[in-house]
Amino acid sequence: MALWGEGDPRWIVEERSDAKNVNNWHWAEKDASQWSKDKLRRLLVGKVFDGPEGTCRVSEASYITGEASANNRKAKLIFFYEWEIVLRWTGMFSPSLSLLSSFPPFLPPSLPHAGVAAGGSPEVSGELVLPNLSEENEVEEVEVRVTTDKQDKHSQQLKELMLREAPPPIRGCLREYVRCLKEEYSAGLILQRSPEPPSSSSSSSKLPLAAADQLVGPTSAVSLQPKTSKPASRKSTDLGCPIHTTKLTLIEEFLASVEDIYNCFTTTELVQQFTRSEAKVDARKGGTFSMLNSEITGEFVEVDSNKIVQKWRRKGWPEGHHSTVTISLTQESHGTKLRLLQTDVPEDDAERTREGWKRYIFNNIKTTFGYGTLSLAF
C-alpha cells in the first residue's frame, strides 16, 4: 500500500486534463478478442508452402476460438490470450510427379475433374490445427498438427511437405500476432501525463527526496524502500524482502457430484487428463502435488470429502513463498458448487492466477469430463 508522507509517488497526483486513471494506478482492460481473430486470419490465410512434391496453401480459417485482452495495472501491461486455431489447406502436386493413372479413364487429361487441379495433378486438402497458442507457452512450443481429408498416396506425400515446411512460417505469423498485440493494440492503455509547466529550481526542491528519486518519466516505476512498520498485507520471504499479497475468491458450478469434482483434484490420472500435462498428486495430509509440468506445486494441509486445503505456489513466485488454497464443495440439486478462497497471493500476480484457475482448471475440467458447458466465441 502507498504510505502517506513517506515520499511514495502514488500519493503525488499527476495532472491530467481528463482526470482519468491518475498515475495509471487502476486496473484498465481492453478486450482484444475480435481484433485478434481478424489479425490472425490476415496473417495466416494465404500462406504458401513449396517443396519438391508440390505447393500447398492455407485457404481459409475454419474457426478461431478463444479470447485475448490487454491490461494495465500500476503502469504495467499484462496480456492474456488463449487460442485454438483450425485452418483449411489445399495442395497440388508438381507436374513431374502427377500420374495419368490419377485420371478416370473416361476423362481426357486436358479436362480437370473434381479433386484434380487444372494443371493435371490431383488436389489434396486437409486441416492445420494450432491447439495451444497462449501466454503460458512460448510460440516455439505451439503444436502444428496436419491432417488430410483422404488417406491416399498423394495426400500422404503433401502431408509430409506440410509437416516439414509449414511450422516455421506459421510460428512466424504467431510471433507477429503477439508482437502486434503487445506493441500496437495496447497503445493508449498507459495514459501519459499532461505537459507540465516549467518550474523553478526552488519549487522542485520542495519535493520529498524519495519521490524525486523515484519519478523517472511519464510512467513511474515505483521502488519502495523497506519501512519500519509494515502493513498487514505484506509478507516476507526467507530473505526478508516484503511481498504485497491479496486474496482471491472464486465460485464455480459443475454438472457433477461432489465426489466427481473431489476426484478431479486428488487423482493423478484425472489431473493429467484435464491439464494435458505431467502431474503428481499424493492426496493425504502432508502429501505433495505438482501439475502443469511443475508450474504449480504444493502440499495438502487438509483432505476431506468436501473440503481440500493446500499450500500452493507458482514457479515464478519468490522463493519459499506459498499461498493457502481452500476448496469447499457443496452438493446442490443441479450439481456441485465449488467455492475457492486463496490467500497470500502476490499482488502483482493476482489476476494472472485468477485467470489460470478459470481457464486451465475449471474450464478444462468441464470440457474434458463433460461437467459443464462453455460459451465459445467463434
Side-chain angles (χ1 to χ4, degrees):
M1 178 179 177
L3 301 180
W4 174 256
E6 296 189 18
D8 192 311
R10 287 171 286 182
W11 286 112
I12 302 172
V13 178
E14 297 171 350
E15 294 183 359
R16 283 193 54 83
S17 58
D18 56 6
K20 289 182 179 179
N21 203 3
V22 174
N23 284 330
N24 294 285
W25 181 250
H26 300 291
W27 183 271
E29 179 172 330
K30 192 176 181 182
D31 185 2
S33 298
Q34 188 57 53
W35 175 89
S36 294
K37 292 178 183 179
D38 295 339
K39 188 70 174 179
L40 287 166
R41 283 192 175 92
R42 288 196 297 269
L43 288 170
L44 294 167
V45 175
K47 293 297 291 183
V48 176
F49 316 103
D50 291 314
E53 302 93 335
T55 300
C56 299
R57 176 182 177 273
V58 176
S59 57
E60 64 173 314
S62 297
Y63 70 86
I64 301 175
T65 180
E67 59 183 344
S69 63
N71 308 272
N72 168 27
R73 172 62 167 148
K74 304 178 188 176
K76 177 182 178 182
L77 290 175
I78 304 171
F79 301 90
F80 299 116
Y81 54 92
E82 182 181 22
W83 296 105
E84 180 181 358
I85 305 168
V86 178
L87 309 169
R88 291 291 301 172
W89 65 271
T90 58
M92 186 176 67
F93 261 76
S94 296
S96 60
L97 296 179
S98 297
L99 302 177
L100 290 176
S101 58
S102 63
F103 292 88
F106 54 83
L107 187 64
S110 58
L111 298 176
H113 65 91
V116 178
S121 55
E123 186 178 83
V124 174
S125 60
E127 288 186 340
L128 193 64
V129 182
L130 314 175
N132 60 334
L133 174 62
S134 79
E135 80 279 356
E136 292 288 323
N137 302 314
E138 297 293 334
V139 170
E140 286 71 25
E141 296 175 328
V142 174
E143 296 181 61
V144 180
R145 303 174 184 169
V146 179
T147 64
T148 56
D149 295 338
K150 297 180 180 180
Q151 302 300 318
D152 54 22
K153 176 182 177 182
H154 297 298
S155 297
Q156 184 59 34
Q157 288 178 315
L158 287 189
K159 178 181 178 181
E160 291 174 0
L161 182 155
M162 289 289 290
L163 288 170
R164 183 181 68 248
E165 302 294 338
I170 289 293
R171 293 193 179 105
C173 292
L174 301 183
R175 278 191 292 271
E176 178 63 10
Y177 157 72
V178 174
R179 186 197 68 79
C180 291
L181 175 65
K182 294 182 177 181
E183 298 180 10
E184 298 178 8
Y185 187 79
S186 61
L189 270 176
I190 295 183
L191 303 178
Q192 302 298 312
R193 290 185 295 180
S194 299
E196 297 181 0
S199 58
S200 65
S201 58
S202 59
S203 62
S204 63
S205 63
K206 295 180 181 179
L207 272 176
L209 179 59
D213 288 340
Q214 292 166 4
L215 290 176
V216 294
T219 56
S220 302
V222 180
S223 175
L224 297 178
Q225 299 296 323
K227 310 299 178 185
T228 54
S229 60
K230 295 188 288 187
S233 62
R234 286 188 183 183
K235 292 192 69 178
S236 295
T237 64
D238 294 339
L239 298 177
C241 300
I243 303 173
H244 295 270
T245 62
T246 186
K247 70 176 182 179
L248 303 178
T249 302
L250 295 94
I251 297 176
E252 197 74 25
E253 294 183 349
F254 298 89
L255 303 179
S257 66
V258 166
E259 182 181 4
D260 290 331
I261 303 305
Y262 171 85
N263 289 337
C264 287
F265 289 95
T266 58
T267 307
T268 296
E269 292 75 17
L270 296 183
V271 174
Q272 288 179 334
Q273 286 184 47
F274 75 75
T275 62
R276 301 172 180 85
S277 61
E278 284 296 318
K280 294 181 181 179
V281 180
D282 182 8
R284 57 188 176 88
K285 185 175 181 179
T288 60
F289 66 90
S290 66
M291 58 195 300
L292 294 170
N293 297 321
S294 297
E295 173 69 21
I296 306 300
T297 57
E299 178 182 323
F300 286 94
V301 177
E302 180 181 342
V303 184
D304 198 1
S305 58
N306 58 1
K307 184 179 180 181
I308 300 170
V309 182
Q310 301 170 328
K311 292 172 62 178
W312 190 103
R313 64 173 274 109
R314 283 174 53 104
K315 184 185 292 184
W317 287 4
E319 187 67 27
H321 180 79
H322 287 76
S323 66
T324 300
V325 170
T326 302
I327 297 174
S328 302
L329 304 173
T330 304
Q331 187 69 57
E332 300 194 345
S333 58
H334 58 279
T336 296
K337 177 173 288 187
L338 180 151
R339 293 178 174 84
L340 183 145
L341 173 65
Q342 186 170 9
T343 59
D344 297 327
V345 179
E347 193 176 71
D348 59 0
D349 200 44
E351 289 304 317
R352 184 182 178 93
T353 302
R354 180 189 297 274
E355 288 295 318
W357 279 108
K358 292 179 179 179
R359 293 185 183 186
Y360 306 115
I361 306 298
F362 300 153
N363 284 355
N364 279 4
I365 288 174
K366 290 180 178 181
T367 56
T368 301
F369 305 116
Y371 291 161
T373 57
L374 297 176
S375 299
L376 297 178
F378 290 85

